[in-house]
Amino acid sequence: MRTLIKLEENPEVLIVSNVTSFLNPTFVYVPTLDYAIKEDTKFFKDTYLKDNIISISGYLEGIDEKLYNNKLTKVYKIHNDYKEHNLKRLRKVKIKDLLELQKLLEDNFLSNLSNKLKGSFKDLVVTCFDEEIYEMNEFMILYNNYKEILKMLDLLRSLLNLEVAYIAIKNTNAKSIKKVRSIIGTYPNLKLVLLPDKYLMSMDENVSSYLNLKVDDTLVLKTTEIDMMESLIEGKFLDHKYITVSGDALKKSLIIDTKLGVSLKEIEEEFLKIKPCEYNIYYNGYLQGEKVNSEDLIITKDTSSIVFKRKEDVEEECINCGACNKICPQNINVLKCFKDNLRSKRCLNCGLCNYICPANINLKERIKDD
Amino acid sequence: MKKSNVKNLVKLNIILLIPFLIYGLYKNGYLIYMKGLISGYMVFKPLYLTLISLIIKVVVDLFIYKKVKIDYNLVYLILVSLIMPYNINLIVYSITLLITYLLTLFLSKHFKFNNVCFMYLILILVNYLFNGLSFLNPMEAKYTFSFSSLDILMGRSVGGISSTSIILSLLVFSYYTFNFYYKKDIPLFINLTYLILTFIYFLITKDNNFIINSEVIFGSIFISTLPMFSPGKRILQILYAILIGLLTFILIFITGKIISIYLATFAVSLLINVKIRQKSPK
C-alpha cells in the first residue's frame, strides 16, 4: 500500500452541511445535434439528446458556445417553461439478476458503471467519502439517503452472490457513522468499516489493501454509483445531481442539488457570494480537477465540484526543493520530468505535486501524459 | 500536511538563524567585551555583518527589481554573515560581499554552484590577503583554552562568528526533520560519513581533534541543504551528502577543519550541477 497523507484544508472553506436545491433553472444547455432544428422547438423533460438528458421541459431559444465537460462546445439554450412536461415515466423495476441491472444502466447511458459490474468478484466495498478536499457530495448522499444506500448495497451483494459487502466511511465522519450504525444491524451481511482520513484512500487498490482484500477480486464502488442504481430501480430519472461549490473566494460554500445542464453563471447569480478578490476556478476539484478560464461552464453528469480559489500566489521559479518527488505516490521523478519537459504515463493525476509545490508551479499539467 | 510557499520557507530559514546570531553576539561580543579586549561598539560585530548583508540585499534589489524581494538570496547573504571569521574587516567585508553577490547573480544565470560557499570562499581569500587566515577572536588569540566536550557542544570552539553552537544546530535540525521541504538526508549522511572517517582516523592516529566539528554540523544543516544547489531526488541527495562528507574529511588536512565543509560543498555542488546540465541539455 502506498504511504498516504492527510492534507490540510483551508479553515476558511467551511461547507454548509445541508443541500441547497436548484431544480427550477431558467435555462439548461445540451450539446447540439448534427442536424439543424428550428427555434422554439419544444423539448420534453427527461428525454435524451444523444446521451445527454434534458432535465426540464421548455423551448429552444438559440445556440450558444459554452464549456461542456471542460471543452468549448456548441449547445442548445433551452428556456424553462416550468411545466415539467415529459413524454415517458419510468416505473419501479424489480431486479432479479445482475444482467437486468446492467441492462437498466446501459439503457440510461451508464455503460461505464455497467461494465464495472462485469466479471467475478469475491468482495464488494462502497466508499462513502470524497477524495477531493473541498468536496462533500459522497458524504451528503450517504447522510441524506443512508437507508436507500444500504438497501441497494444489500441488493447488489445478493445479485453478485457475495456473503458480505462492506460500507467504508472515513473515521472522522462522525455524522454518517452514527446514521449508518443506527440501521446496519438490520442487514446482517453488510459490514461497516472505518478508514483513516487520508488523501487517495478511496482508490481501489488502497481500499483493498487496507481491508486485506485482493484488488482484482474486489469491486469498489462509490456512494454516487450506488445512489444512481437505486434511483433507476425506483423509477427516477438521473436529471439532477449534487455538486459542491466551494473555495476561499466564496463567502459561503454550498452543496447544491442542481438540474443537469445548468450554467454555473446562473448558480452564481442565484446562490453564490464571491469575496471581492481575484480568483481561479477549478472544475471537478482543486487537486484532481482543471483550472478553467471562464465561468461560462455547464453542469453535466460528470461534474462533481467547482472550486473558487483565491488567487494568492503567482508561479515562481522552481527552487529544486524536491517536495514533488517526495510526495508523488507513484514515485515519479517529477522534478526531472518538469526540467526535461518529459511526461509520465504513470501519473495518476492526483495533484499532490501541485498541492505541495512551494513555487506554485502547475506540475501536474506539465508531466501527465494525456 | 501543510503546504508552504517560497516566502514562508525563506522566513522560516531566517527565523531559525536568529538564535545563532544571538549566540554570536554573546560569544564574540559580550564575553570579549567583559574581558576588556574590545571597545563598546565592537560588541555588536556579528550584528553589523548581518546588517551589512541585509543592506546589500535591499540596495541591489531596489537597483535591479525596483522592490525588495523576500527570496533565497536573503538567506544566502545572512548565512555568509554568520560564518565569517571574527577578524574580517567591516569595509573589506562590505565591498567584497557586494561584488561577489553581484557576481553570483550574474553567474547563476549560466552556472549553478553553492552561492553561499562561493561568496564565503572569496571573502576568506580576500580576508587572507588583508588580515591573514585566522578564525580566533581576541580572547581566543590572547588566552589558551582547554575546552571540555560540553564547552564545544555549547559553541565555545573556534569557528565562524555565529556558527559554532552545536547544541543550537542540533535543535534546529531536530525541528527541521518535521519540515516536509527540508532535505534531512543531506546533513544526516554528511555527518555520518564525516564521523565514521574521523573516528577511523582517531583509531589509527589517536588524534581526536577533528571528530567534533561545529562548522561541519552548521554547514551541513544550513548550507549543504540549500534547495537550489542540492539534488531533488533522495538517492542523489544521499550520494551528494556522502561525497561532501568524504571530501570534507580529505580537505581538513589541506585547508583546516573550518573551511573544509564549505569548500567541499562548493566543489560537489559544482560537480553535480555540471553533471546534470550535461545530461539534460535544453
Side-chain angles (χ1 to χ4, degrees):
Chain A
M1 188 178 167
R2 295 185 180 98
T3 315
L4 304 178
I5 51 164
K6 180 167 169 44
L7 302 178
E8 188 162 312
E9 294 182 25
N10 187 340
E12 274 184 60
V13 185
L14 283 175
I15 304 170
V16 180
S17 61
N18 52 36
V19 180
T20 308
S21 287
F22 187 47
L23 302 174
N24 51 355
T26 317
F27 297 102
V28 298
Y29 302 83
V30 281
T32 54
L33 296 169
D34 301 332
Y35 50 88
I37 52 172
K38 277 185 197 166
E39 220 166 279
D40 287 333
T41 304
K42 173 88 177 170
F43 285 97
F44 290 94
K45 183 177 180 288
D46 298 332
T47 45
Y48 284 94
L49 275 194
K50 288 183 190 166
D51 56 349
N52 300 300
I53 198 163
I54 300 170
S55 57
I56 54 164
S57 68
Y59 54 89
L60 180 65
E61 198 170 282
I63 293 175
D64 231 334
E65 252 193 356
K66 302 264 182 194
L67 278 177
Y68 199 90
N69 285 339
N70 215 6
K71 279 178 197 146
L72 205 59
T73 313
K74 277 193 174 173
V75 286
Y76 293 129
K77 185 180 184 184
I78 302 167
H79 196 291
N80 195 353
D81 60 7
Y82 302 102
K83 287 175 184 162
E84 303 275 294
H85 282 157
N86 52 2
L87 289 177
K88 65 167 184 177
R89 282 174 199 278
L90 283 181
R91 281 190 189 160
K92 202 171 170 176
V93 272
K94 205 162 188 191
I95 301 288
K96 285 170 200 148
D97 59 28
L98 201 58
L99 285 175
E100 264 186 72
L101 179 62
Q102 285 170 346
K103 191 177 178 308
L104 182 68
L105 294 171
E106 268 161 31
D107 289 346
N108 287 281
F109 302 98
L110 293 169
S111 39
N112 279 348
L113 186 51
S114 167
N115 289 339
K116 258 188 167 184
L117 301 178
K118 286 174 189 164
S120 62
F121 301 103
K122 287 182 182 162
D123 296 289
L124 167 66
V125 185
V126 177
T127 56
C128 308
F129 47 84
D130 296 272
E131 193 71 277
E132 274 282 341
I133 49 174
Y134 315 133
E135 212 174 286
M136 282 179 74
N137 305 332
E138 305 283 331
F139 157 78
M140 213 55 197
I141 290 170
L142 180 70
Y143 187 71
N144 285 344
N145 310 320
Y146 64 102
K147 287 178 186 165
E148 292 82 359
I149 298 288
L150 289 180
K151 195 176 151 194
M152 181 63 220
L153 179 59
D154 200 41
L155 172 68
L156 190 60
R157 180 199 61 76
S158 62
L159 293 176
L160 288 164
N161 286 324
L162 300 176
E163 269 187 33
V164 183
Y166 300 92
I167 177 157
I169 306 179
K170 279 195 178 171
N171 56 14
T172 48
N173 191 348
K175 280 183 174 178
S176 299
I177 295 170
K178 200 178 166 189
K179 290 243 175 185
V180 172
R181 274 201 177 140
S182 70
I183 193 174
I184 200 159
T186 54
Y187 297 97
N189 300 93
L190 298 189
K191 268 190 185 174
L192 170 66
V193 284
L194 303 182
L195 300 182
D197 185 8
K198 287 182 175 173
Y199 185 59
L200 296 183
M201 193 70 229
S202 75
M203 275 177 65
D204 293 11
E205 54 181 285
N206 293 335
V207 172
S208 311
S209 58
Y210 191 83
L211 297 174
N212 286 328
L213 307 172
K214 277 190 179 172
V215 186
D216 298 335
D217 296 340
T218 310
L219 173 63
V220 182
L221 294 173
K222 289 185 168 194
T223 334
T224 331
E225 292 167 330
I226 294 286
D227 187 51
M228 284 196 290
M229 289 180 203
E230 198 270 336
S231 298
L232 290 174
I233 290 171
E234 288 297 314
K236 298 172 202 161
F237 274 106
L238 303 174
D239 61 359
H240 61 106
K241 73 171 299 182
Y242 285 179
I243 61 156
T244 311
V245 186
S246 58
D248 54 6
L250 295 178
K251 285 185 181 165
K252 209 173 176 184
S253 296
L254 301 168
I255 301 163
I256 302 175
D257 182 9
T258 175
K259 289 271 187 184
L260 296 182
V262 171
S263 138
L264 177 66
K265 262 196 175 168
E266 205 176 327
I267 294 177
E268 193 183 312
E269 282 161 17
E270 197 83 22
F271 301 107
L272 306 181
K273 284 176 187 161
I274 300 173
K275 290 177 189 171
C277 61
E278 277 190 77
Y279 57 86
N280 288 322
I281 301 174
Y282 293 86
Y283 178 75
N284 277 353
Y286 174 55
L287 290 166
Q288 296 182 19
E290 282 173 54
K291 205 193 272 185
V292 288
N293 299 322
S294 161
E295 282 154 286
D296 228 3
L297 63 89
I298 306 301
I299 308 300
T300 69
K301 62 182 176 189
D302 298 324
T303 311
S304 58
S305 68
I306 311 285
V307 182
F308 288 74
K309 188 89 182 63
R310 203 185 288 149
K311 208 190 263 181
E312 292 167 327
D313 307 308
V314 282
E315 202 170 293
E316 291 175 57
E317 196 191 338
C318 174
I319 60 161
N320 202 41
C321 66
C324 46
N325 280 359
K326 229 194 243 183
I327 207 166
C328 180
Q330 293 289 81
N331 288 327
I332 299 169
N333 191 344
V334 183
L335 203 58
K336 185 176 162 50
C337 287
F338 165 67
K339 287 188 173 167
D340 296 353
N341 278 328
L342 300 173
R343 291 188 177 265
S344 174
K345 282 185 178 162
R346 287 191 294 138
C347 178
L348 296 172
N349 194 34
C350 69
L352 279 171
C353 49
N354 276 14
Y355 170 84
I356 207 74
C357 181
N360 302 305
I361 299 168
N362 193 347
L363 293 162
K364 188 182 77 178
E365 289 304 310
R366 294 184 201 181
I367 72 149
K368 79 170 176 194
D369 194 12
D370 298 322
Chain B
M1 184 169 297
K2 198 174 178 183
K3 181 189 161 70
S4 191
N5 57 33
V6 178
K7 231 181 223 177
N8 287 343
L9 292 177
V10 168
K11 282 180 196 166
L12 176 72
N13 219 321
I14 292 168
I15 288 167
L16 291 176
L17 288 173
I18 291 171
F20 290 90
L21 179 62
I22 294 168
Y23 182 76
L25 284 168
Y26 168 73
K27 186 204 165 204
N28 290 312
Y30 174 77
L31 284 182
I32 311 170
Y33 177 71
M34 291 308 279
K35 287 275 180 190
L37 297 171
I38 52 169
S39 56
Y41 83 96
M42 283 307 281
V43 173
F44 300 103
K45 189 168 182 182
L47 186 64
Y48 297 151
L49 293 176
T50 307
L51 285 177
I52 290 167
S53 289
L54 291 177
I55 291 166
I56 288 173
K57 166 75 177 145
V58 170
V59 170
V60 171
D61 271 10
L62 286 176
F63 189 72
I64 299 176
Y65 310 110
K66 312 285 178 226
K67 65 170 185 179
V68 182
K69 285 165 76 174
I70 297 177
D71 56 14
Y72 265 97
N73 285 330
L74 187 59
V75 178
Y76 304 158
L77 288 166
I78 292 175
L79 277 170
V80 170
S81 74
L82 299 182
I83 54 178
M84 278 292 109
Y86 183 86
N87 73 348
I88 187 116
N89 181 293
L90 290 179
I91 297 165
V92 171
Y93 174 76
S94 313
I95 297 166
T96 317
L97 187 65
L98 178 65
I99 294 166
T100 49
Y101 177 53
L102 289 172
L103 197 63
T104 55
L105 286 182
F106 171 74
L107 287 177
S108 60
K109 286 175 190 162
H110 308 283
F111 306 100
K112 257 192 183 163
F113 46 78
N114 197 308
N115 285 358
V116 179
C117 296
F118 176 73
M119 288 191 274
Y120 174 79
L121 292 171
I122 301 272
L123 276 158
I124 289 289
L125 194 69
V126 173
N127 189 46
Y128 171 67
L129 298 174
F130 282 91
N131 298 324
L133 183 65
S134 170
F135 283 85
L136 302 173
N137 67 25
M139 198 159 72
E140 288 158 346
K142 193 169 183 193
Y143 303 107
T144 305
F145 292 94
S146 173
F147 294 124
S148 68
S149 297
L150 186 69
D151 283 335
I152 295 171
L153 284 175
M154 292 305 289
R156 297 216 178 107
S157 57
V158 178
I161 199 160
S162 305
S163 60
T164 51
S165 177
I166 295 174
I167 289 281
L168 277 179
S169 297
L170 293 177
L171 282 175
V172 167
F173 179 65
S174 44
Y175 175 80
Y176 255 145
T177 51
F178 297 103
N179 188 316
F180 189 79
Y181 296 92
Y182 184 68
K183 296 172 177 175
K184 54 178 174 285
D185 290 319
I186 294 177
L188 215 62
F189 279 88
I190 290 177
N191 285 294
L192 210 64
T193 313
Y194 180 79
L195 275 175
I196 291 169
L197 292 171
T198 46
F199 191 71
I200 293 169
Y201 180 74
F202 162 71
L203 289 178
I204 297 166
T205 63
K206 301 288 171 215
D207 181 1
N208 65 0
N209 196 25
F210 302 129
I211 295 178
I212 303 175
N213 188 339
S214 60
E215 291 304 306
V216 171
I217 296 172
F218 182 88
S220 64
I221 291 171
F222 284 102
I223 295 166
S224 306
T225 52
L226 284 170
M228 213 56 134
F229 318 115
S230 50
K233 207 166 184 228
R234 189 166 180 246
I235 186 76
L236 290 177
Q237 284 172 20
I238 293 171
L239 283 173
Y240 165 84
I242 292 171
L243 212 56
I244 291 178
L246 189 73
L247 203 57
T248 305
F249 175 73
I250 296 166
L251 285 171
I252 50 174
F253 301 105
I254 303 164
T255 62
K257 66 183 222 177
I258 297 168
I259 303 172
S260 60
I261 176 76
Y262 305 115
L263 193 55
T265 304
F266 175 72
V268 177
S269 73
L270 193 65
L271 181 80
I272 61 147
N273 285 305
V274 167
K275 267 264 178 226
I276 289 167
R277 267 165 187 264
Q278 275 178 350
K279 261 186 170 178
S280 56
K282 279 222 168 169

